[in-house]
Amino acid sequence: MIEAYRWRQVAVRNLDWEEMQKVYSNRSFPFDQPDGQVYYPEFDDIENSIDKQSLFYSTQKAAAAADQFRYNSMQIIDKEKTALARLDIKIDTPLGLIVLLGTTDNSYTAENVFILIDFGGNDNFSGLAGATSSLLNPISVMIDFEGDDHYSNTLRNTISQGAGIFGTGLLLDLKGNDTYESKYYSQGMGVFGAGILCDVQGNDKYKLDFSGQGCGYFGIGMLLDSQGDDEYYIFGDGQGMGGVNGLGIIADYAGNDKYTAEWNPEVLDRGDYHSDKKVNENYVQGAGIGRRGDGSDGHCWAGGQGAIIDIYGDDVYSAGNFSQGIGYWFGLGVMYDKEGNDEFNSVYFTQAAGAHFAMGVIVDESGNDRHLLEKTGGAGLSFGWDWVNTLFVDKGGDDYYQAYKMSIANAQLRSNTYFIEVGGNDTYRVRSDKGFLGDATIHSSFNKPGRSETYFSEGSQIALFIEIGGIDDYLIWNKEVKVWEKAEKTGNNMEWSFQ
């Protein structure tokens, strides 16, 4: 851990302390970036001067030290239950507190912690559990060995539960049915640093307002869960979100899991004009989101890489707009599900979609899945707007798809969209025989470009829909009689073109 601190100091050697403090205390940054509303020059200055190689080598050192300690300690804990029960040790050091807690039920408020080890018990932890509490406390690692624990942080300006700003925050919980609750910048979140929350075993619940559950801005955020039926809830900006020049990953290995982002503006108002302000924009579940400054102050930052990865289990994913494999402004969003009968519910700019020089991807390896674009559902299931590449791949299973507008391999404004379905008896329900199933829409600016958009005439675009195997149903909504009818222009063993 001392080595981790040393490499962090190397990383920030060229930075201005006052600028670092402005970044550390800024909680408005995520809300101001997508359309370039507010420019914070200190972020630019630090990005140009920080030594990221040394910074993330520091994170590797801290993570390796925690893992080594976990492995070595588990071999002796069962033999020393009696002695460990009496532990209550706190040692103050220049890098923060070293805290050792025993196997009884504890309540502890974490602040300025360098290393915190809890050997068991059903505990309550508040404050900055596994989070960097200041610029002088840049490395904070917490390990909890067992017990049904409750992690709670009620303060908006306090980071927690695996969060690192200009350093590394790591929270490792090995066993128990745990609950995590926080407001901002928590549960696997990094800004010019790395935040990692890793829960190994148990049926866990995660609840957060904004920016976490695998979220990074100029840094790395990871939420990793191995076993159990877990529930994840967030208002926005997370569940695998790479903000400007960041990496955000949420990965769950096994269990029937539920991922929810709040879409209803009556609960929290982030109403998106694409849905008449009736559905929230979330930026979640595999989202790479950049700062589009071409319409404001001109400062543009490329979006990062966001990924949501789930390996085993029957899972449910729910979100509003800008979600589920979404890229925005040079960002990359990836959604990967290996196995299980899964359900994907979302609304607009979603499920392998992108806008403005971005990429969106969904890969589902198996299972009988349902992909529903609800409310004003569209711009999804492999949809690109303005020089975007999108890929949707589903292999195996009897799958169901529903969309209302511009979806299922629809390319707009020189984008390339690919939708590939392999195997299974699938059902497609769409609202029209145009704008779906491989439609690359032609605009007048392609042949007669305006003075401000000449580059549109220089590119090409592809919308490719491929259905391999199975006996599939293609249905179109008849709005006059309000029934689903068999499509005439699309069907099994057919080819069609919209050119």
Side-chain angles (χ1 to χ4, degrees):
M1 294 291 290
I2 297 294
E3 278 291 287
Y5 173 77
R6 184 175 74 84
W7 279 102
R8 183 269 187 182
Q9 293 301 90
V10 171
V12 302
R13 65 190 183 277
N14 296 319
L15 302 187
D16 180 83
W17 188 266
E18 291 186 3
E19 288 194 332
M20 291 173 66
Q21 188 57 54
K22 289 179 181 178
V23 169
Y24 186 92
S25 59
N26 189 326
R27 299 294 179 267
S28 300
F29 178 82
F31 304 103
D32 302 328
Q33 298 316 299
D35 290 319
Q37 297 95 321
V38 180
Y39 175 61
Y40 300 99
E42 55 269 20
F43 283 81
D44 240 349
D45 296 340
I46 289 172
E47 172 68 0
N48 292 327
S49 300
I50 196 168
D51 178 358
K52 284 193 173 181
Q53 287 80 6
S54 296
L55 183 65
F56 297 127
Y57 188 52
S58 167
T59 298
Q60 288 180 313
K61 288 283 188 181
D67 193 50
Q68 271 192 324
F69 182 85
R70 170 202 64 85
Y71 178 78
N72 294 331
S73 298
M74 290 180 71
Q75 300 179 36
I76 64 170
I77 287 178
D78 289 339
K79 300 178 181 179
E80 303 292 342
K81 286 285 187 181
T82 303
L84 289 174
R86 298 192 298 268
L87 271 182
D88 186 4
I89 298 174
K90 299 177 181 65
I91 305 171
D92 199 2
T93 82
L95 301 185
L97 290 170
I98 296 175
V99 181
L100 304 178
L101 300 176
T103 56
T104 57
D105 297 345
N106 297 293
S107 293
Y108 185 78
T109 299
E111 185 175 356
N112 193 36
V113 169
F114 181 36
I115 301 169
L116 192 160
I117 309 296
D118 183 271
F119 287 97
N122 301 321
D123 307 308
N124 290 293
F125 296 104
S126 58
L128 293 85
T132 57
S133 62
S134 70
L135 296 179
L136 296 175
N137 172 224
I139 308 292
S140 184
V141 171
M142 175 177 174
I143 304 175
D144 184 279
F145 279 87
E146 61 182 41
D148 299 336
D149 305 310
H150 185 203
Y151 299 86
S152 177
N153 174 40
T154 60
L155 301 176
R156 171 177 174 175
N157 292 326
T158 301
I159 69 176
S160 188
Q161 300 163 21
I165 304 179
F166 292 114
T168 299
L170 171 61
L171 171 54
L172 175 59
D173 191 293
L174 299 176
K175 186 184 297 184
N177 301 321
D178 306 308
T179 301
Y180 303 86
E181 296 179 293
S182 191
K183 295 292 185 180
Y184 286 59
Y185 282 33
S186 300
Q187 298 171 15
M189 197 278 170
V191 181
F192 293 110
I196 303 170
L197 168 53
C198 180
D199 190 292
V200 178
Q201 191 177 96
N203 301 322
D204 308 306
K205 294 183 179 181
Y206 303 85
K207 185 177 180 181
L208 179 66
D209 287 359
F210 292 101
S211 294
Q213 296 184 3
C215 175
Y217 304 101
F218 299 102
I220 297 172
M222 293 191 289
L223 172 49
L224 313 174
D225 192 292
S226 181
Q227 306 287 337
D229 299 337
D230 307 307
E231 296 181 13
Y232 305 87
Y233 178 88
I234 193 171
F235 284 164
D237 306 335
Q239 292 185 0
M241 177 204 173
V244 289
N245 208 7
L247 173 66
I249 296 175
I250 183 171
D252 192 295
Y253 184 72
N256 301 322
D257 306 308
K258 185 177 182 180
Y259 304 86
T260 303
E262 185 54 65
W263 64 266
N264 189 354
E266 295 182 2
V267 178
L268 176 87
D269 189 7
R270 291 184 86 182
D272 181 18
Y273 74 90
H274 293 98
S275 299
D276 300 323
K277 300 291 185 176
K278 297 178 181 179
V279 177
N280 286 334
E281 54 187 19
N282 292 127
Y283 307 123
V284 295
Q285 297 174 13
I289 308 298
R291 183 187 200 272
R292 184 183 180 185
D294 62 333
S296 57
D297 51 49
H299 295 91
C300 295
W301 290 324
Q305 301 174 48
I308 181 169
I309 302 168
D310 193 290
I311 305 302
Y312 298 110
D314 300 334
D315 309 306
V316 178
Y317 306 87
S318 300
N321 295 359
F322 291 95
S323 61
Q324 298 183 2
I326 177 70
Y328 179 83
W329 198 256
F330 299 92
L332 168 62
V334 176
M335 190 174 212
Y336 176 83
D337 192 291
K338 178 177 173 59
E339 188 174 293
N341 301 322
D342 308 307
E343 185 166 318
F344 304 79
N345 302 296
S346 54
V347 184
Y348 208 85
F349 273 113
T350 185
Q351 297 193 35
H356 312 301
F357 319 100
M359 293 185 286
V361 178
I362 287 184
V363 176
D364 190 293
E365 296 278 7
S366 64
N368 302 323
D369 307 311
R370 293 173 59 84
H371 293 266
L372 308 177
L373 302 190
E374 301 179 310
K375 306 293 181 182
T376 55
L381 292 166
S382 197
F383 170 82
W385 180 272
D386 191 21
W387 301 87
V388 163
N389 296 319
T390 62
L391 174 66
F392 183 103
V393 177
D394 188 287
K395 298 167 62 178
D398 300 334
D399 305 310
Y400 178 93
Y401 301 92
Q402 175 181 295
Y404 292 90
K405 61 178 75 171
M406 297 188 304
S407 297
I408 313 179
N410 180 267
Q412 300 280 343
L413 300 182
R414 297 310 195 193
S415 296
N416 300 309
T417 61
Y418 304 90
F419 184 101
I420 303 171
E421 242 286 359
V422 183
N425 302 320
D426 307 310
T427 300
Y428 298 89
R429 288 191 172 188
V430 298
R431 292 283 165 160
S432 170
D433 59 359
K434 294 183 179 180
F436 301 91
L437 305 175
D439 189 352
T441 305
I442 304 299
H443 293 267
S444 60
S445 60
F446 294 174
N447 298 321
K448 296 180 180 180
R451 293 181 179 180
S452 63
E453 52 185 18
T454 57
Y455 65 94
F456 276 115
S457 65
E458 303 298 326
S460 61
Q461 64 182 26
I462 297 171
L464 185 61
F465 173 85
I466 298 176
E467 235 297 352
I468 302 173
I471 301 174
D472 309 307
D473 290 327
Y474 297 82
L475 304 173
I476 294 180
W477 179 250
N478 187 325
K479 62 182 179 181
E480 295 181 358
V481 297
K482 297 183 178 180
V483 297
W484 292 99
E485 297 179 341
K486 184 177 180 180
E488 296 180 358
K489 297 182 180 180
T490 58
N492 290 283
N493 302 314
M494 291 178 62
E495 294 184 5
W496 55 88
S497 174
F498 292 93
Q499 294 183 352

